[in-house]
Amino acid sequence: MADRLIYVAGNPDGYPLEYYDPGTECYQGVLPELLRCFAEESGWEVRYYEPGPEDHREDLARQQQVDLLSGCGTGEEFAHTEGELLAVLTAEEEGTSASYGFLCTEVAPEDLREELSSFLAEVSQETRTGLLLEATETVQPGTGTGLLPLTVGLGVLAALLLAVLAVGLLRSRHRRQQEREAGEVDALTGLGNLDALIRHLPAVVNDKNRALYHLIYFYVDLERLGRQAGQTGSQNFLRHMAVVLREFVGEQDLLARVSEGGFVLLRMAGGQESERLLLDAVLKRLRLGPDGEDAPYLAAGVAPLAREDRDLNELLFRAGQCARAAYAAGESWRLCTPQELSRLQEEQRLREDVCRGLERQEFLLYIQFYVSVKDLRIVGGEALCRWEHPEKGFLTPDRFIPLLEREGLIETLDYAILEKVCTFLEELARGGVRDFMVSCNFSRKTFSSEDFLTRCGEILSRHAFPREMLVAELTESSLFRDQGQARKNAQALKDLGLRIALDDFGEGFTSFYDLLEYPVDGVKLDKSLVDNIGRPKGEAILKAMMQVGRDLGLTVLAEGVETDEQVRALREMGCDMIQGYRFFHPVPDWDARRQLLEREAGV
């Protein structure tokens, strides 16, 4: 706030103490008049912040946009205020004494409270009563007459005015409370929302019992849920979650939906074993969806509260991150241990570095060659990514890909790597190498986007090389059968001359169905299948896949090959290409280019 400038949030509905007058478009009443007098006497400049008919005092205090809240009553609680009420008038309210006046916020100038308090102390009771009488002579907004006729004696009138003031302000307070409570309810589930949790938390958790509580965050993968259940199914599942979670809420617990895909149960914990059993029981019930179907869309993170844990946002972050990490790892729930929190903090630091790393070209292209089974000659390679972090050194994809996906930055990386691959292939083609291909992976989000073809086309237009040298490698997570955009994009790439391959074939959800749906040129057999070489059933499955590939005219590549035994078996089965540490580890793009150009030149 500027020097000697006070921003005030007013009460639009506290007539005659303070109210918003639409005719003058400003606040009128006892309190605004006192503030005007205070400004003239003290030299402070007083401005009401965006006066209007709506009560925004709580929001403005939370956002730290005002110095003073006006029209406040005894017992009214506002976030981010400091000190006691600076009372102006006192009235009897339901048998008790209630005062009305001002509250200073956390950002108020240090000397404001002292100066305003001194000013109010010098204002006589007669002056305050006179201001109240003047205010009631004015027609109340929405009525045709003043509040009371002035034929009554001054003392009796003042008493009546204070009584009317108390009733009016009590009703106004009740109305605001009802509006606030209505705004703290999640419309879909009927649970309290984050605002409700913030308001009720101090009444439940305190310094004496804080260490007895656990904050349990239930994370829901809304994207996956929406793809598989649709909008109506998703809403039904979220309502189902609310119903189930309510059953596990005790008298000393709090339950809220704090985000679109986040539910929080603040629970007074029992012993470690009882908490484990409780979580297992809750998640079992939740995963049995509203129609009795399996619903593996969620996981939980558990953050035990320590005595020093007073920042709700920090607790929500910890538990939410643990829940997401558990979900990504296929776990039901994960405890926020010191080790886990340390890992989360490290991830937070990486998150802050990601955007800078993308801007500074710290993400590098690596190539892992694959060879022909027939003569073990290099015929292609897979594009891989590594992060050359300026402080942490060389980081592999498992350290940053999940983070990029969660932060919505995976598309930026996908297109950056595609640009590097196209540059790599153009330089090879310029050097006479045209019998080499590079497979480039795309995340599901990137490959299913509507602007995928446009952005790929822009990158391809900047580089000259035979298009069949570029292979679009699609993982099972890229192919979800309720999304037609993925099929359109695959066909569009095929029409541009690129080849299409299915990655991780035989693992996860990828199946022979995808061979019918997509214009596929080849498949890459998952390492888990190659690891089963030497086992009769494993080899039988591999042989069957090889036969299907030959019958459909597909190129079959086996990844994760590490032994001569695997090489011999794959050759006997009719596999076309092999990728794995048995032959090559990933190398930087400049090294791969050097090797290929030297081979072309006969060096």
Side-chain angles (χ1 to χ4, degrees):
M1 303 297 174
D3 291 342
R4 311 304 290 179
L5 174 62
I6 307 169
Y7 280 104
V8 183
N11 181 351
D13 197 26
Y15 179 86
L17 197 64
E18 182 173 65
Y19 61 92
Y20 176 71
D21 181 5
T24 61
E25 296 185 346
C26 62
Y27 291 108
Q28 303 291 351
V30 177
L31 299 182
E33 184 60 32
L34 279 174
L35 285 179
R36 281 190 280 271
C37 295
F38 171 66
E40 292 176 1
E41 181 175 311
S42 65
W44 286 97
E45 180 182 354
V46 177
R47 295 181 189 175
Y48 274 90
Y49 193 95
E50 297 182 355
E54 303 295 328
D55 188 355
H56 296 301
R57 288 177 297 169
E58 186 167 1
D59 291 338
L60 291 174
R62 182 182 297 113
Q63 296 164 11
Q64 299 187 343
Q65 293 180 282
V66 294
D67 304 291
L68 201 65
L69 302 188
S70 185
C72 305
T74 304
E76 279 191 299
E77 295 182 0
F78 292 93
H80 303 288
T81 56
E82 290 186 336
E84 297 179 353
L85 181 75
L86 298 175
V88 174
L89 288 173
T90 301
E92 291 297 320
E93 183 178 299
E94 296 185 343
T96 61
S97 180
S99 298
Y100 301 91
F102 308 102
L103 283 170
C104 289
T105 70
E106 293 175 345
V107 295
E110 294 182 0
D111 49 350
L112 174 60
R113 167 176 287 279
E114 182 179 349
E115 291 189 35
L116 182 56
S117 179
S118 298
F119 169 79
L120 293 176
E122 296 176 359
V123 178
S124 67
Q125 185 61 46
E126 290 78 8
T127 300
R128 302 179 195 218
T129 303
L131 290 173
L132 184 59
L133 289 171
E134 290 178 9
T136 55
E137 289 178 347
T138 305
V139 176
Q140 180 183 5
T143 68
T145 62
L147 183 63
L148 287 173
L150 293 179
T151 56
V152 186
L154 183 60
V156 175
L157 179 58
L160 288 173
L161 287 173
L162 288 173
V164 172
L165 174 66
V167 172
L169 290 177
L170 179 62
R171 289 175 178 172
S172 175
R173 185 189 303 174
H174 286 168
R175 183 167 60 254
R176 289 198 305 273
Q177 182 177 355
Q178 290 173 349
E179 292 172 352
R180 179 176 62 185
E181 290 176 352
E184 292 177 353
V185 176
D186 176 56
L188 178 64
T189 65
L191 298 178
N193 57 22
L194 178 58
D195 288 338
L197 181 63
I198 292 172
R199 185 164 68 88
H200 290 292
L201 183 65
V204 175
V205 180
N206 53 54
D207 289 342
K208 294 181 179 179
N209 65 12
R210 183 173 286 107
L212 300 177
Y213 276 88
H214 284 175
L215 189 148
I216 307 173
Y217 191 107
F218 296 91
Y219 164 74
V220 185
D221 185 348
L222 291 180
E223 189 174 358
R224 181 181 176 189
L225 175 60
R227 292 199 308 268
Q228 299 189 10
Q231 182 178 4
T232 300
S234 297
Q235 292 177 345
N236 289 339
F237 181 76
L238 294 173
R239 293 190 188 100
H240 159 75
M241 285 190 65
V243 170
V244 172
L245 290 173
R246 277 193 182 99
E247 298 177 13
F248 294 89
V249 179
E251 294 183 359
Q252 297 174 304
D253 303 338
L254 292 175
L255 174 63
R257 185 186 182 198
V258 297
S259 66
E260 289 295 312
F263 292 76
V264 163
L265 175 58
L266 190 68
R267 175 181 170 80
M268 185 170 282
Q272 183 175 354
E273 181 62 18
S274 65
E275 285 303 294
R276 185 187 67 79
L277 293 174
L278 170 81
L279 272 170
D280 290 342
V282 173
L283 289 166
K284 183 177 180 180
R285 287 283 309 282
L286 292 175
R287 285 203 170 100
L288 192 63
D291 299 322
E293 77 283 4
D294 181 41
Y297 311 118
L298 75 159
V302 184
L305 273 61
R307 294 188 182 278
E308 62 273 14
D309 286 329
R310 294 179 176 83
D311 188 337
L312 178 60
N313 289 330
E314 176 64 22
L315 288 168
L316 291 174
F317 172 77
R318 290 184 206 167
Q321 289 295 90
C322 282
R324 291 177 178 86
Y327 180 78
E331 302 169 2
S332 296
W333 58 275
R334 182 174 289 187
L335 183 66
C336 292
T337 62
Q339 294 77 13
E340 181 67 13
L341 292 178
S342 176
R343 188 190 67 81
L344 290 175
Q345 291 169 356
E346 174 67 15
E347 188 173 272
Q348 172 67 19
R349 288 190 287 270
L350 275 181
R351 182 183 295 105
E352 295 169 356
D353 292 344
V354 162
C355 292
R356 181 212 63 204
L358 289 168
E359 291 175 359
R360 298 183 181 180
Q361 300 289 316
E362 293 172 3
F363 291 88
L364 308 177
L365 173 63
Y366 272 60
I367 302 291
Q368 185 178 20
F369 293 134
Y370 44 80
V371 301
S372 166
V373 173
K374 182 178 180 180
D375 55 12
L376 302 184
R377 182 175 180 271
I378 295 174
V379 292
E382 179 180 7
L384 303 172
C385 182
R386 301 292 186 265
W387 185 2
E388 193 67 40
H389 194 283
E391 298 172 1
K392 304 180 188 304
F394 193 78
L395 302 181
T396 53
D398 59 296
R399 293 288 305 279
F400 57 84
I401 292 296
L403 176 62
L404 288 167
E405 290 177 336
R406 286 199 299 273
E407 296 300 309
L409 295 170
I410 191 64
E411 289 181 278
T412 304
L413 179 64
D414 282 345
Y415 291 121
I417 294 300
L418 177 60
E419 184 84 53
K420 291 178 181 292
V421 169
C422 290
T423 300
F424 177 80
L425 290 174
E426 182 176 27
E427 292 173 349
L428 288 184
R430 192 181 299 122
V433 178
R434 294 174 176 268
D435 58 347
F436 182 86
M437 54 186 168
V438 175
S439 57
C440 190
N441 276 297
F442 295 99
S443 69
R444 180 198 56 73
K445 183 178 181 181
T446 301
F447 192 78
S448 62
S449 63
E450 293 185 357
D451 65 346
F452 174 74
L453 182 61
T454 300
R455 298 187 66 175
C456 285
E458 291 173 352
I459 293 173
L460 288 167
S461 67
R462 295 194 286 268
H463 302 279
F465 61 88
R467 295 302 187 237
E468 64 270 15
M469 294 177 70
L470 180 58
V471 181
E473 200 168 278
L474 314 180
T475 64
E476 64 89 10
S477 63
S478 301
L479 311 178
F480 41 94
R481 299 168 194 159
D482 60 343
Q483 179 62 267
Q485 190 65 46
R487 288 191 293 274
K488 292 179 183 178
N489 289 340
Q491 185 59 56
L493 291 183
K494 183 76 172 176
D495 294 341
L496 288 175
L498 277 66
R499 304 188 212 186
I500 307 294
L502 296 185
D503 192 14
D504 300 331
F505 190 75
E507 187 268 340
F509 295 105
T510 303
S511 70
F512 293 105
Y513 175 90
D514 298 318
L515 299 179
L516 300 174
E517 291 292 301
Y518 291 83
V520 176
D521 297 288
V523 294
K524 179 183 285 188
L525 302 180
D526 186 69
K527 184 180 185 300
S528 62
L529 297 174
V530 174
D531 289 340
N532 280 315
I533 288 177
R535 302 173 61 186
K537 289 184 179 180
E539 292 193 4
I541 293 173
L542 272 174
K543 289 178 183 178
M545 290 185 170
M546 301 287 185
Q547 186 61 51
V548 170
R550 283 193 294 271
D551 291 344
L552 296 178
L554 303 178
T555 299
V556 179
L557 183 149
E559 65 177 354
V561 178
E562 298 178 352
T563 67
D564 289 336
E565 178 188 3
Q566 292 171 337
V567 174
R568 286 192 297 271
L570 291 168
R571 179 180 288 123
E572 292 172 0
M573 294 178 191
C575 185
D576 298 301
M577 293 182 291
I578 292 175
Q579 177 184 3
Y581 291 165
R582 167 61 183 82
F583 297 99
F584 294 100
H585 286 69
V587 296
D589 59 343
W590 61 265
D591 192 10
R593 181 171 54 251
R594 177 190 59 79
Q595 294 184 48
L596 293 169
L597 292 176
E598 287 180 354
R599 186 188 68 174
E600 182 66 23
V603 177

